[in-house]
Amino acid sequence: MNTPAAAQPWPLADWARRYRKRWLRGDALGALTAWALIVPECVAYAQIAGVPVQNAFYAAPVALLLYAALGRSSFLIIGATSAAAVLSAATIADVSTDPKDAVGLSAALAVLTGAVLLAAGIARLGFLTRFLAEPALVGFLFGMALTIMVRQAAKLAGVSSGEGNFFARARAVASKAPDWSLTTLAVGTGALVLLLVLERFLPKLPASLVVLLLGLLVSALAGLQDHGVQTVGPIPSAVPVPHLPGIPAEEWMVLAGGALGVALVVFAEAFSIANRFARIHGQDVDANREMIAVGAANIAVGFVRGFAVSGSASRSAAAAGAGGRSPMVSLIAAGLILLTGAFLTPLFTDLPEPVLGAIVIVAVRGFLKVSELRRYAARDRNSLWIALTALLGVLLFDLLPGLLLAVALSLALFIARAGDIHLAVLGRLPTTTLFVDTGLHHEAATTPGVLAVRPDGSLFFGNADRIKSAVHELTKATTPTPHAVVLDLTASFRLSIPVLDTLAQLREELAHQGITLHLAHLRTRAAQELTHHPLADHLPPHATHPTVDEAVSAAAQTSR
C-alpha cells in the first residue's frame, strides 16, 4: 500500500538511524569524487545559465543538503546540470536578455520550478511523469545537446554564436571562420581531446577536474590571456546567504509558464536517475516524495541566488562507483563545496573559456543516443518518428517549444495506443472452464449462438466507441448470427459515464437485432458505477456474471 508522501517518515532521520560507521570511508570517497565533478561543472553550467560563476557555488551545497534531508534515493546527487542550465537560460531570455537581470530571473525561475514540483508532490501527481514518452524525451535531449554543443563550439573558436536556433548559430560560427582564433582553437581542441583520452583510458580519474587544473596551469604559465584567449576572470568568494530574487510581480507571472516546462524536465531527469539506481540496488523511490525533495531543493536554491537544479547522472554514477552508498555523500560534498566557494574561487580567474567549452561538450555528449535512434529505426518506426520530431522541434524552434512538442507527442502517443485496443474473440479450452483468445489458442472452441469477446485493455472515452463498432463487425461476420454477446470487462477497473453511455447504446443496437448483451468479470468499482447508470435497468435479468464461463453458459441457455 502506498503511504501518502506527507505521512512517510522524515528521510534524514530514517537513513541516519540506519547509518553504519563502516560506510563512512566509501561515502567520503564518493563525496570527493562528486566534488571533483561538481567544481568544474559549477563554473561551466553557470555560464550556460547566463549567471556569474559564484551563483553556481551558492546553489550547489544548498541543493545537496536539501535533497539529503528530504530525498529517498541513497545515490542521487542533485545540482546544476546541462539540461536545467540551458532551460533556465532559454526561459529567462523570454523575459529579458540583459545580463544584469539574469541573476534575479534565474533565482525566481528556480523558486517557481520548485513550487510547481512541491505542489505536484503534495497532490500526488508523480504518476504524470509516466506520460512523457521515452522516444520524445530521447529526441528532446538529443536536440538540447546539439544546441549546447554549437554554443560551446563558438567558445572553442573564440567567436560569438549569435542568436537564433541551432541552424542559425551553426551558420554564424561557420561564417566567422576567418575570425577564428588559432590559439583559442588549439586550447579548446587540446582540452577536448584530453578529456576524451582520459575518459577512455583512465576512467577512474575525474577527467574534467584534471583538465580544468591543467588549463589553469597552462593559462598562468603561458599568459594565454595575452594571446587573445578569453578567461573566466575574477570570481568573488561564494558563501550562500538568503536573498530574495527581487524581480517585479509581472515578471514572476511571465516566468510561471516556462517554470512548468523546466519542472517537467528537471523532475524527469532526476527521477529517471533515482529510479535506475533503485532498481540496481533493490531500493524503493516514490515519485511523489522525490517531487517534494527536488522541489524543495529548487526553492532553497532560488533563495540563495542560484538557478534550477536537477539530478546528475554522471555525478551520481561516479560517486556510487567510488563507494558512496548513502546521502552522507551529499552532506560531505556540500561541506567541500562550501569550503571551495569560500576560499578557492580566486584560483579560477585564469581559467580559459575554451577549456570550459570542452568540458561542457563532453558532459552533454551522453545525450546523443544514436544507438537508441538506430534501435527505433530497426524495431519501432513510430518511436523513431516521435524522437526525430522532438529533436527537430528543438533544433528549429528552440528548447521550450521543443519540450512542449515532446510533451504533446507523448500525450498523442498515449491516446493513440490506448485507443487502438484489440478485441479478442474468446473460446473455451478443451476439458476446462477457461476462456482464452482464439487467435492465440486455435484449440479453443467458441459456443454456437454466443459471441464472447474481451477488450485487451481498459475501456475509456477514447476507445469505447471503437469497441462498440468492433462488436458489431464481429456479430455480422459470425455464422450463424449469435443470439447473445458476452463482453468480458476484466481489464476495466472503472466504468466512466461516457463508457457506460456507449455500452448502453451497444445494448440497444444489439437488442434491435435480437441479440442480448451479457457482462462478465465486472470489477468491484466498475460494478458499483454500473448500478448508478440507466444501463443497469435495461440489461436483461441475470445479465452480469462473475466469470466468462458462467456468462456463456447462461447466454447459451437463454438463446435456446
Side-chain angles (χ1 to χ4, degrees), residues 13 24 56 83 87 89 247 295 318 340 385 393 449:
L24 186 58
L87 277 172
I247 66 171
T340 303
W385 289 120

PDB file of all heavy atoms in Angstrom, residues 13 24 56 83 87 89 247 295 318 340 385 393 449:
ATOM      1  N   ALA A  13      16.022  11.490   9.126  1.00  0.00           N
ATOM      2  CA  ALA A  13      16.007  10.708  10.364  1.00  0.00           C
ATOM      3  C   ALA A  13      16.024   9.220  10.069  1.00  0.00           C
ATOM      4  O   ALA A  13      16.659   8.434  10.787  1.00  0.00           O
ATOM      5  CB  ALA A  13      14.774  11.071  11.188  1.00  0.00           C
ATOM      6  N   LEU A  24      31.348   4.944   6.073  1.00  0.00           N
ATOM      7  CA  LEU A  24      31.880   6.304   6.005  1.00  0.00           C
ATOM      8  C   LEU A  24      33.035   6.420   5.010  1.00  0.00           C
ATOM      9  O   LEU A  24      33.128   7.419   4.278  1.00  0.00           O
ATOM     10  CB  LEU A  24      32.330   6.756   7.391  1.00  0.00           C
ATOM     11  CG  LEU A  24      32.782   8.214   7.499  1.00  0.00           C
ATOM     12  CD1 LEU A  24      31.668   9.158   7.060  1.00  0.00           C
ATOM     13  CD2 LEU A  24      33.221   8.536   8.935  1.00  0.00           C
ATOM     14  N   ALA A  56      26.602  29.588  -9.022  1.00  0.00           N
ATOM     15  CA  ALA A  56      26.562  28.131  -9.014  1.00  0.00           C
ATOM     16  C   ALA A  56      27.107  27.581  -7.701  1.00  0.00           C
ATOM     17  O   ALA A  56      26.614  26.575  -7.180  1.00  0.00           O
ATOM     18  CB  ALA A  56      27.357  27.580 -10.188  1.00  0.00           C
ATOM     19  N   ALA A  83      21.013  20.256 -18.765  1.00  0.00           N
ATOM     20  CA  ALA A  83      19.614  20.419 -19.170  1.00  0.00           C
ATOM     21  C   ALA A  83      18.947  21.538 -18.383  1.00  0.00           C
ATOM     22  O   ALA A  83      18.274  22.408 -18.951  1.00  0.00           O
ATOM     23  CB  ALA A  83      18.861  19.104 -18.974  1.00  0.00           C
ATOM     24  N   LEU A  87      17.802  25.171 -20.064  1.00  0.00           N
ATOM     25  CA  LEU A  87      16.376  25.505 -19.997  1.00  0.00           C
ATOM     26  C   LEU A  87      16.145  26.780 -19.197  1.00  0.00           C
ATOM     27  O   LEU A  87      15.281  27.598 -19.531  1.00  0.00           O
ATOM     28  CB  LEU A  87      15.598  24.352 -19.371  1.00  0.00           C
ATOM     29  CG  LEU A  87      15.207  23.221 -20.315  1.00  0.00           C
ATOM     30  CD1 LEU A  87      14.624  22.059 -19.534  1.00  0.00           C
ATOM     31  CD2 LEU A  87      14.222  23.690 -21.364  1.00  0.00           C
ATOM     32  N   ALA A  89      18.273  29.287 -18.946  1.00  0.00           N
ATOM     33  CA  ALA A  89      18.688  30.403 -19.803  1.00  0.00           C
ATOM     34  C   ALA A  89      17.642  30.709 -20.871  1.00  0.00           C
ATOM     35  O   ALA A  89      17.342  31.874 -21.160  1.00  0.00           O
ATOM     36  CB  ALA A  89      20.032  30.083 -20.451  1.00  0.00           C
ATOM     37  N   ILE A 247      12.471  40.617  -8.216  1.00  0.00           N
ATOM     38  CA  ILE A 247      12.008  40.994  -9.553  1.00  0.00           C
ATOM     39  C   ILE A 247      10.552  41.452  -9.459  1.00  0.00           C
ATOM     40  O   ILE A 247       9.840  41.069  -8.519  1.00  0.00           O
ATOM     41  CB  ILE A 247      12.144  39.833 -10.564  1.00  0.00           C
ATOM     42  CG1 ILE A 247      11.214  38.674 -10.194  1.00  0.00           C
ATOM     43  CG2 ILE A 247      13.590  39.357 -10.653  1.00  0.00           C
ATOM     44  CD1 ILE A 247      11.136  37.606 -11.252  1.00  0.00           C
ATOM     45  N   GLY A 295      11.691  19.597  -5.511  1.00  0.00           N
ATOM     46  CA  GLY A 295      11.030  20.902  -5.460  1.00  0.00           C
ATOM     47  C   GLY A 295      11.587  21.762  -4.344  1.00  0.00           C
ATOM     48  O   GLY A 295      11.884  22.953  -4.537  1.00  0.00           O
ATOM     49  N   ALA A 318      29.422   8.311 -10.716  1.00  0.00           N
ATOM     50  CA  ALA A 318      30.810   8.387 -10.273  1.00  0.00           C
ATOM     51  C   ALA A 318      30.917   8.215  -8.760  1.00  0.00           C
ATOM     52  O   ALA A 318      31.800   7.509  -8.255  1.00  0.00           O
ATOM     53  CB  ALA A 318      31.418   9.721 -10.700  1.00  0.00           C
ATOM     54  N   THR A 340      35.255  25.327  -0.866  1.00  0.00           N
ATOM     55  CA  THR A 340      35.755  25.765  -2.175  1.00  0.00           C
ATOM     56  C   THR A 340      35.230  27.148  -2.512  1.00  0.00           C
ATOM     57  O   THR A 340      35.989  28.027  -2.948  1.00  0.00           O
ATOM     58  CB  THR A 340      35.336  24.769  -3.267  1.00  0.00           C
ATOM     59  OG1 THR A 340      35.811  23.461  -2.930  1.00  0.00           O
ATOM     60  CG2 THR A 340      35.902  25.175  -4.622  1.00  0.00           C
ATOM     61  N   TRP A 385       9.991   8.202 -35.446  1.00  0.00           N
ATOM     62  CA  TRP A 385       9.432   9.457 -35.931  1.00  0.00           C
ATOM     63  C   TRP A 385       9.119  10.404 -34.778  1.00  0.00           C
ATOM     64  O   TRP A 385       9.294  11.627 -34.900  1.00  0.00           O
ATOM     65  CB  TRP A 385       8.179   9.188 -36.757  1.00  0.00           C
ATOM     66  CG  TRP A 385       8.475   8.548 -38.079  1.00  0.00           C
ATOM     67  CD1 TRP A 385       8.030   7.333 -38.532  1.00  0.00           C
ATOM     68  CD2 TRP A 385       9.307   9.073 -39.124  1.00  0.00           C
ATOM     69  NE1 TRP A 385       8.534   7.069 -39.773  1.00  0.00           N
ATOM     70  CE2 TRP A 385       9.321   8.122 -40.177  1.00  0.00           C
ATOM     71  CE3 TRP A 385      10.052  10.241 -39.276  1.00  0.00           C
ATOM     72  CZ2 TRP A 385      10.034   8.311 -41.350  1.00  0.00           C
ATOM     73  CZ3 TRP A 385      10.779  10.436 -40.449  1.00  0.00           C
ATOM     74  CH2 TRP A 385      10.749   9.474 -41.471  1.00  0.00           C
ATOM     75  N   GLY A 393      12.144  19.663 -33.529  1.00  0.00           N
ATOM     76  CA  GLY A 393      11.430  20.748 -32.868  1.00  0.00           C
ATOM     77  C   GLY A 393      12.363  21.600 -32.030  1.00  0.00           C
ATOM     78  O   GLY A 393      12.277  22.837 -32.029  1.00  0.00           O
ATOM     79  N   GLY A 449     -24.031 -19.738 -31.145  1.00  0.00           N
ATOM     80  CA  GLY A 449     -25.075 -18.811 -30.731  1.00  0.00           C
ATOM     81  C   GLY A 449     -24.618 -17.744 -29.754  1.00  0.00           C
ATOM     82  O   GLY A 449     -25.372 -16.827 -29.412  1.00  0.00           O
TER      83      GLY A 449
END
